[in-house]
Amino acid sequence: MTKILVIHGPNLQLLGRREPSIYGRATLPQINRELTRLARKLKVALTFLQSNHEGELVEAIGRSGKVYRGILINPAAYTHTSVAIRDALEAVGLPVVEVHLSNIYAREAFRHTSVIAPVARGQISGFGTESYTLGLTALVGLLKKSR
Amino acid sequence: MTKILVIHGPNLQLLGRREPSIYGRATLPQINRELTRLARKLKVALTFLQSNHEGELVEAIGRSGKVYRGILINPAAYTHTSVAIRDALEAVGLPVVEVHLSNIYAREAFRHTSVIAPVARGQISGFGTESYTLGLTALVGLLKKSR
Amino acid sequence: MTKILVIHGPNLQLLGRREPSIYGRATLPQINRELTRLARKLKVALTFLQSNHEGELVEAIGRSGKVYRGILINPAAYTHTSVAIRDALEAVGLPVVEVHLSNIYAREAFRHTSVIAPVARGQISGFGTESYTLGLTALVGLLKKSR
Amino acid sequence: MTKILVIHGPNLQLLGRREPSIYGRATLPQINRELTRLARKLKVALTFLQSNHEGELVEAIGRSGKVYRGILINPAAYTHTSVAIRDALEAVGLPVVEVHLSNIYAREAFRHTSVIAPVARGQISGFGTESYTLGLTALVGLLKKSR
Amino acid sequence: MTKILVIHGPNLQLLGRREPSIYGRATLPQINRELTRLARKLKVALTFLQSNHEGELVEAIGRSGKVYRGILINPAAYTHTSVAIRDALEAVGLPVVEVHLSNIYAREAFRHTSVIAPVARGQISGFGTESYTLGLTALVGLLKKSR
Amino acid sequence: MTKILVIHGPNLQLLGRREPSIYGRATLPQINRELTRLARKLKVALTFLQSNHEGELVEAIGRSGKVYRGILINPAAYTHTSVAIRDALEAVGLPVVEVHLSNIYAREAFRHTSVIAPVARGQISGFGTESYTLGLTALVGLLKKSR
Amino acid sequence: MTKILVIHGPNLQLLGRREPSIYGRATLPQINRELTRLARKLKVALTFLQSNHEGELVEAIGRSGKVYRGILINPAAYTHTSVAIRDALEAVGLPVVEVHLSNIYAREAFRHTSVIAPVARGQISGFGTESYTLGLTALVGLLKKSR
Amino acid sequence: MTKILVIHGPNLQLLGRREPSIYGRATLPQINRELTRLARKLKVALTFLQSNHEGELVEAIGRSGKVYRGILINPAAYTHTSVAIRDALEAVGLPVVEVHLSNIYAREAFRHTSVIAPVARGQISGFGTESYTLGLTALVGLLKKSR
Amino acid sequence: MTKILVIHGPNLQLLGRREPSIYGRATLPQINRELTRLARKLKVALTFLQSNHEGELVEAIGRSGKVYRGILINPAAYTHTSVAIRDALEAVGLPVVEVHLSNIYAREAFRHTSVIAPVARGQISGFGTESYTLGLTALVGLLKKSR
Amino acid sequence: MTKILVIHGPNLQLLGRREPSIYGRATLPQINRELTRLARKLKVALTFLQSNHEGELVEAIGRSGKVYRGILINPAAYTHTSVAIRDALEAVGLPVVEVHLSNIYAREAFRHTSVIAPVARGQISGFGTESYTLGLTALVGLLKKSR
Amino acid sequence: MTKILVIHGPNLQLLGRREPSIYGRATLPQINRELTRLARKLKVALTFLQSNHEGELVEAIGRSGKVYRGILINPAAYTHTSVAIRDALEAVGLPVVEVHLSNIYAREAFRHTSVIAPVARGQISGFGTESYTLGLTALVGLLKKSR
Amino acid sequence: MTKILVIHGPNLQLLGRREPSIYGRATLPQINRELTRLARKLKVALTFLQSNHEGELVEAIGRSGKVYRGILINPAAYTHTSVAIRDALEAVGLPVVEVHLSNIYAREAFRHTSVIAPVARGQISGFGTESYTLGLTALVGLLKKSR
């Protein structure tokens, strides 16, 4: 069964409490449950990882190449600053879909630039929890095509 | 029944023939048929418009407020240059989802800036034809929530 | 009798409905009627043109040199993007007055630059409908001096 | 009777002698007389102040809140450099109309930016002496609306 | 017989009247006649299109791939702003020669950048009407080599 | 009793040894003792955290909302690079006071920008150890006012 | 007894009336009284100067070297524009503490740069009236150390 | 006898005491005496003005046109910030020589730009007191040629 | 007989061997022979100069004014860096045509700027050897018109 | 015996598998063995550290001052983003040699800037594994000179 | 007797013929004669060098340290581009005075930056031939002081 | 026997005398002797060239392709300005190693950019004379691998 790594970046453990007008009221466990339901339909298996540590994310991505077929990532704040995560994603060479809860292009200027985007296949931003489910759908779609 | 306006920007009439390595092999009628199939499932009605004329797009958007509940738009080249389309979208105030066939953030630097994004609810880029179907799904999701 | 061409740029057909907190509640026909009343006092004749098509505006300006003595223009979104309209205005060589309903210098940064301004005689912005009547007064004033 | 403060910024005492091809041949007393005539028609009272001292302008504006209903200002060179005048105008909170004799957008690049404009209601530039009379008309119009 | 599409961008219908010190005294029909004479010598057939509408130019270019062997284009004002025309030229993939009547590099700074140039084979600017005849010669030369 | 979290960013464990001409001779334990003395006077309780790990800082801030009433932070090098810490501070919504031992505005240009400052209530820089004691005083002052 | 010069820059005479949401409700005399109380405790004597005139501030600073031991300054709008005040402060060579009522780094971009900061020992911003009392405490602290 | 206005900008009253390693040990009266000696040789009469007030400098320059034949100015800090002084110099139209004690191009980046230079005939910087005597020599040379 | 100076800039002695995919397979002697043939038809005489030395090019241009009627130049790498060659061309005042073998606007960003272009009459780039023959044709055309 | 700390930054645990066309086929253990061999010849002892955690690197550097005589570091992605590592290196004050496997100046623009380089003695980039051996040779050379 | 090297940069051999409205009518030999006359008065000996070759200038400066006591240089076009000349001047360490015939700050933007100025003692620009004589006077003044 | 061209750029003939704190005390002949000793060990033959003339360097590189197997270059000041040397290196296509005596990334900002680096295989900077010996070792290593 196709395995997909789902990565939640820094501060996402706070979801539901953190500025709900921007990030919505769903918590991370709720998002993960919703993704699991969808995964069952799409016949893929998900592993979840939330970390606030750039290094942990880098290592998890580095190890992912042998186990997973694709990565769904919300890099959160590291979207704008982490060349290390970008390099890790480029190194493992798996298809990557980048998602954002909020529309990063309608926020502060420093959030308009993603250092991750050039190494991702595609990006989805602005749909709250649904950014994740759309992203998983998109990723599974990419995997089917490349088979 | 909820009506949605689907807008295809300049040069998209060439799809299928135009640089297939970037834009894929699907033609515009094929994309529209696929969207129609999905619309039936989602129980929404679609109207399609392709235009290479910024003015036509501006006018169609300007008239859309009374008829449609949302707009799905691939602004193509006008993504990067048309303040007039942005103003039109802002003026009618409908929920807007912006889609791109290619990952615009992995291409030339001038394609990294969307003047449309700040007035859209969300953006999906990089998944070829599937950017459209994901975008329609996302838009219908937004409409349900706001009801 | 001195003839003046009054040009309304893109999206101005929506006036009255479009974000009234920024653009006011007057509709375009109301503005035109008010300008017509003023024109009678100032003993000039007005022709009105609203277009969302850059090309139509370019052509109308290009033909205006033989018929009109001056141009009153609200270039709206094309203020910031249309070198073609600028070139047309420069080419016909008539005195031009540029008007804006809102104070463009108190809005988003991309609205602070007018590519039209360097080829206009003067600019009036921020007074709502009155920007037009002040602009017409100013234009007629310029025409009198140059006689 | 509505009282309006008319402020002339630095070097404007030289009007009529200073580069007449740019600034016209009218002197400051002539402009003030013309404004007085117009004020009588508009049934408002004017107080005139010309100063080359940023500090004097700041203080006059700071005191104006209790006496005046609006400010008509040609900030001249301080348009481009004086955050202090901007802060004073913002602090007193009166409606402000900014005027310029010449079209500042058709001159040197450093004249294209006004630090005053974002705190003014509107701006009029390029019509010589008439910039002032149009500006006074506009300001009285604003005051009427806000009553 | 080899067919070539000759495109004249916005405001070029005004040639001969428009600022002759910059653009010369030849009218567009005169330029077209001169190009026709040259085409006869070079044994190619020309089709002429002048349009002020970005959308019309985009569409003409989009249709050209099946009929023409090359494009000679003076994009005029759209040189500096039209990503849509650039995308159309790139999409059809015909050899393109870009010409300018005036030396755009000796004029205002915003005219120094051509968004068209990177998708053209070559560029000729500054020789008035002769820019066109040199451009046609160059284009026919390119076509011969690639045969 | 009001609890306050005191955060020392990367490399501050080296204080006293690290470039004393810039950072002074006091060690971190000495600073903490001095803060504890002051806290007693101000009748608040302090918890200290020094970490070189962005992720640890992010997590500590993320957990702080339920326990603490305010945060005193010297983000050190992360001042200039950590959007993740900024997001964490914004997410918990506690009053934040940012302090720096050295005057960051009198050092290298890259130290002039703080990504933390826009989410802090205030900033104190340049007074060595005293930046901390002034910062604690300021934070307690803010907490009193908001009660 | 150690004498300290306290300088209030332009528009600060308006404090209490001017945008209280940003600058607080305390008036300048109230701030000065609070500073006087604190000075008594710290056993220093204060002289107060408020001026809207850059030149007056420059001169007062220029004369201060023989009389005062330190300068506490809120340069207000001149923070961002006055090289002359910076040069005066550098010339007299007294220790300088720069204070701001509001957090200048959380406001408009042009307020993020202080031309004064590089010649000050330290900076305190964002604590309202308390910025002054913290600043005086800091300055007296610096003077004690340098004795 | 040819009269020349010698203007010393802000902080120059401090000369001799102010950072002598940069500005030298000569006081302003000494510089003026040396200039007077040289003026006698060159058979011109000098009037000296030192002011820290931008407005005073603007006014003195504004009045100078009728009395003086040329201006020797060390604008000091106003070199980099005063559009008002620039406008005044341009308005009176006298030949202007700009001098600086220090080499402004070997100091901080913000001192590399002179807003005065474009309206001066020439500039001399870096020679301490001798910058003034060379400047006076140069100005008298210019006046002779233009006679 | 009209004499024209043909200048080949640095590295052009390597033509034919140097990156033929960019610069083509023709050698410099072949280009010169082709230009000589064309010159005979156009009834002008050519002198050729290739130099890798900026100074030699500057001197040759400096001496050219008395002997030649025009200059055809491929400045190669000096296109982007040599103010000295620009000044020499401007000084002699002959009509200059600038040519490039490759389309410099489709290459690295630093090749998009020509310091030579503003002092040339026109520019031709991207046609390989034919850039030279078109350039010579253009230059002779310019000389005929100016007679 | 002289002890040297060898630091490998993020993602370098992937060497050999990660994009071998850029980074080569050697694995990290192979590189370390080769460095150990060289160290024996140079009579120095090496300690190796690979970490993907900025904080771990900061701490290891912070502790290194008492044990090691120099640092050989390949900061990998942190080269471009980590002010914390820079500050740690500056704080301990050991001689530092920075190495890169690939030529960072021939890659994406964001890789052209090293925040580490200004605190290193020297930098070696582009020679694959040999960058390390050259770097160790260079570092030992520096240590010999400074003895 | 004190020996001074006088260096004339590229294109200055053309003086008198080259754009006399900018550079004046004096030829280089005339300037040299005038400098020689002045040198006699100042009791210094001059050696003149004009070269269009950056390398020759670099070498002459490199050799000058043993023979000359100072350098008077008009770097002409190399002012803006030659790091090599700057390095040579810095290397020999002689006092350098930089002169320009025209006011480089009143010309094209690219002429506003001198890479030479930071290594010169002072700069004189805008006085035509007199820039040289003032420069020699200044240089001899500097040499006297440093004795 | 493998032949290598060693190029020393402008001002390097001054080594040993020129700012020894930056460039060290070794002279160019000493460096060449040291390189010769190393070359003997590495069994390669060296040819040395020092030139201050950009053109000479361009020509030597242009001729090198037939004789040499690699180039070791210290471009000195031309590192930052010479597109011509870059083009020559790219044209001959030999492996190039760029060396610098000082750490150019720890010096003035304009020295941080090398126009040569993108066409070199690798770069070594900051180790004084040893930069050359390391560079030669690296170059010979590259040649061995590519055999």
Side-chain angles (χ1 to χ4, degrees), chain B:
Chain B
M1 197 163 163
T2 301
K3 293 178 107 169
I4 285 168
L5 180 58
V6 179
I7 298 178
H8 305 291
N11 291 305
L12 292 173
Q13 83 280 12
L14 302 174
L15 273 182
R17 285 176 290 147
R18 176 193 182 194
E19 297 152 287
S21 67
I22 297 177
Y23 298 104
R25 299 210 162 269
T27 64
L28 204 54
Q30 288 171 340
I31 288 175
N32 287 348
R33 274 196 297 276
E34 196 161 331
L35 283 170
T36 304
R37 263 194 300 275
L38 176 60
R40 231 171 280 145
K41 275 197 224 160
L42 298 170
K43 302 194 188 302
V44 297
L46 306 182
T47 305
F48 297 104
L49 170 67
Q50 192 279 327
S51 176
N52 300 304
H53 296 261
E54 191 179 12
E56 264 178 37
L57 296 171
V58 165
E59 283 172 359
I61 295 166
R63 279 189 312 263
S64 67
K66 303 170 189 161
V67 186
Y68 300 98
R69 291 282 313 283
I71 295 175
L72 182 71
I73 185 167
N74 176 352
Y78 292 146
T79 303
H80 318 298
T81 63
S82 179
V83 176
I85 292 177
R86 174 199 176 117
D87 280 2
L89 291 169
E90 206 169 23
V92 297
L94 293 175
V96 174
V97 170
E98 177 189 358
V99 299
H100 298 284
L101 294 161
S102 65
N103 178 353
I104 58 176
Y105 304 105
R107 299 181 62 193
E108 303 99 318
F110 71 85
R111 294 197 205 270
H112 298 190
T113 301
S114 165
V115 301
I116 304 303
V119 302
R121 290 292 183 88
Q123 192 196 56
I124 295 173
S125 76
F127 304 107
T129 302
E130 203 150 357
S131 289
Y132 279 100
T133 53
L134 294 165
L136 181 56
T137 309
L139 180 54
V140 173
L142 289 172
L143 293 175
K144 273 186 195 150
K145 269 191 229 160
S146 66
R147 240 183 294 174

Side-chain angles (χ1 to χ4, degrees), chain K residues 48-64:
Chain K
F48 297 104
L49 169 68
Q50 192 280 328
S51 176
N52 300 303
H53 297 262
E54 192 180 10
E56 264 177 38
L57 296 171
V58 166
E59 284 172 358
I61 295 166
R63 279 189 312 263
S64 67

Side-chain angles (χ1 to χ4, degrees), chain K residues 53-56 58-59 62-63 66 81-92, chain L residues 10-11 13-14 17-19 23 51-54 76-78 80-81 107-108 110-111:
Chain K
H53 297 262
E54 192 180 10
E56 264 177 38
V58 166
E59 284 172 358
R63 279 189 312 263
K66 304 173 188 159
T81 64
S82 180
V83 176
I85 293 177
R86 174 200 175 117
D87 280 2
L89 291 169
E90 207 169 21
V92 297
Chain L
N11 291 305
Q13 83 281 13
L14 301 175
R17 282 176 293 146
R18 177 192 180 195
E19 297 152 288
Y23 298 104
S51 175
N52 300 303
H53 296 263
E54 191 179 11
Y78 292 144
H80 318 298
T81 63
R107 299 181 63 193
E108 302 97 318
F110 71 84
R111 296 198 202 269

